[in-house]
Amino acid sequence: MASPASVAAPAALLRLEGVEQFYGQKIRILGPIDLEMREAEFLSLVGPSGCGKSTLLRIVAGVLTPTVGTVRMGGRPLKDVNTRAAMVFQSFALFPWLKVVDNVAVGLESRGLPPRERLKKAQKYIDLVGLSGYERAYPRELSRGMKQLVGLARALAVEPELLCMDEPFSALDVLTARTMRELVLDLWASPVVMTKSILLVTHSIEEAVAMSDRVVVLKANPGRIADEVDLRGLPRPRRPDLPQVRETVDRMYALLA
Amino acid sequence: MASRRPASYSVDLGLIFLIGAVVVGLHLGRSSLRPYDAPELDPRPALLPLYLLYSLARLAVAYLLAVGLALVTGQLAARSPFARRLILPTLDVLQSVPILGFFPLAVGFFIGIFHGSALGVEMAAVFLIFTSMFWNLAFGVYESLITLPEELALAAGQFGLRGSLRWTRLILPAVVPSLLYNSLVSWANGWYFLIASEIIAVGPARYTLPGLGSYLAQAVTVGRNHETVLALGVLIATTVGMHLLLWGPLQIWAERFHFEESGDRPRTPRMARVLGRSRLVRWLTRTVVAPAGQEAIAAAGKLLGMWGASGWWGGAFALLLPASLLVAVFKLYGLFVSRPASPELAGIPVDLLLSLVRVALGVVVSAAVSIPLAWALARSTRVRGAAMAVIQILASIPATAFFPLIVILLRWGIGMNAAAVLLALTTMFWYVLFNVAGAAYAIPKQMDEAALGLGLRGRRYLRRVFVPAVLPSLITGCVTAWGAGWNAMILCEYLEAGRRVYQVRGIGATLDRATYVTGDMQVVAASLASMVLLIILVNRSVWDPVYRRVAERYKMEA
């Protein structure tokens, strides 16, 4: 197990301190969890279903308040919805009655941006994810992959410090998922996109290894951190057939077994 | 949020509406503040358009009130567990109450407040129509909010949608389909009760409001056939017109608010699909209804956002419903301890039993006719859309329009017992048919194909596939019809037509006699209370368990 001290950096963007989630009064489904995330880090949470990884992500996004413990964002404890984070959902969670451009602008609207700036910024991110020309379409007219692109643009448009992604590729077919992974990595590396810290929840070890700087492995009943693996030494791009990548994936399967 | 808002027509429209309301109010107020002396309606047919306008205004006011309150109540029940525990049981009890029966009490209340002026009668009428429109709307809002996809609600929270923005972007669009669907039901109910609510009688006192309903009722009572037919024509033309020019375009517009349907068949056959082929309807949708709808959502969102800003109001409102129920029970109790018991009270159990048999018969007949009819509809792929549209329009004709027909049948001597059941069927039947037909259309195509592959045809298909598939909806339809049936009893067991009274023994007739003839409040209260108790008892001990078992076993899981 890699010691946290060896990877500690001065600027912690996110910090979870003794976070626990209960179901009802007695049943603890998650925690206690202590976790730190650095600025500009790509961190993945993997684990079997029921290990509470999605719950943990929702706690970080501030849509769920933990029963016990504190979430700190840039040092300050989180009290409400985490406005410095934005979320991408497994089922896309687009508003079916809003056009693509209005879906992307939803977060900007609630932040009180005037209409013209809203439109400009929404357009920028629609272009960035490659959906130019589909601004006036409704979600139902799009393929699943395109829907998730809208979800990604919507999250990036509020220019969050932290991007939370909850199994974003698992509702997509294999080919689309691969293209989307590459797009996310490209955007992460691109100077045009402000967001540099990404927290990804996935059940796919291959996905976590292909994308992240660090992987936190969770185990179930209750969900706790079982292990974590530093992948900064693994060179990018990480094609799945590279021996180094395959060896890492195998090692992580062994960890989970 | 101090951002500049774009100019909005909704504000202008609101202002115009306000000014209009003040003008109308002043005009009405002048004539209304005198004590009200129920005049006979001027029977000249030339006045029919005016009467229609009056009736439409009453319906519209009641409807707007009902929608507003349904949004507030439904949202509150969906959001707060505390409010839910108060609101849902209250709504459940109130919706199983035959509204017509409570009318005399409400009229007494409003006329008392306004010292017998026309304004009080007017308010009482609007209140009655409101109660006939409200319950299903509120339940619809509640249900569509609790079935909102979880991640969408989370997304709305995560992207910071609050207050007005949450209403306009999430809640209102999410409830539009259910609101529209239920509006059809509500308006049908509204028309149905219009006839009862424009002529108001408490004991010997009788108040008549000018309107289509009172015109029709008067024509039937006095026996003027020519005017009856004319008023019926206007009534039918209006309901059909509203379907074509208002609800149809609204449904087409509302397509965008539906969550994506899985499977290869549309879940419900919508009249919109047929109407959508009309050029006029499409034009109306695009140029009038869609922009107006958007404005309505924006305006309502603004208003509701303001309301939602203080949670205190919500709590107060949630308490108000059960509190008023308690007061009513208390008043009833006072009525009985203050006076010796009326001799008529002893007959109530038998009355109840007779009416129960009629309502039950109505439910059985509705179900027995609906199943084969829905099967036939579902099988004929070619005519189903058109057939559904025709049926929907037929159903929107208020049952009271069948009054004269029944009177003719009575003169031929079919007997009041059969006439009462027949009249009740005109409202009960549609509830069952719509539910069953909707479920029949929703049977997955793959299941049909599998059945065909296994050689299930004809009666075997009906028994093994069709009936199990529609069973949950059949029960839902029967429960609704059962509720409507009791209301119908109040209307059907006691008829006045052509200066003659036709009646048959039953709780409805007893209630009507006590209301219109003797004015004995004890009998009114006792028959009402016993009816409500019986309805709730049967709902709890029969319908609820049956529905739960059927829903568990026969739920269609995709």
Side-chain angles (χ1 to χ4, degrees), chain A residues 58 61 63 80-82 85-87 89-98 106-107 109-112 138 140 147 154-155 158 166, chain B residues 1 3-4 6 148 150-152 154-162 165 168-171 173-174 255-261 294:
Chain A
R58 282 162 193 202
V63 288
D80 202 347
V81 170
N82 190 347
M87 196 151 165
F89 294 87
Q90 180 177 14
S91 68
F92 323 132
L94 302 178
F95 299 90
W97 40 80
L98 296 184
V106 131
E109 199 176 359
S110 69
R111 281 163 174 77
Y138 283 98
R140 73 181 75 235
K147 279 181 199 159
R154 176 175 69 178
V158 299
D166 189 7
Chain B
M1 255 199 327
S3 69
R4 247 175 345 112
L148 205 64
E150 192 218 352
E151 288 203 327
L152 190 66
L154 275 182
Q158 219 285 310
F159 285 98
L161 296 185
R162 277 156 209 255
L165 212 53
T168 49
R169 289 287 181 256
L170 181 71
I171 298 178
E255 295 271 325
R256 74 182 65 169
F257 300 111
H258 285 273
F259 289 103
E260 273 172 271
E261 293 153 342
Q294 292 295 1

Side-chain angles (χ1 to χ4, degrees), chain B residues 8 20 39 80 112 157 205 220 288 378 385 430 446:
Chain B
S8 163
S80 135
V220 171
V288 183
W430 303 114
Q446 286 176 9

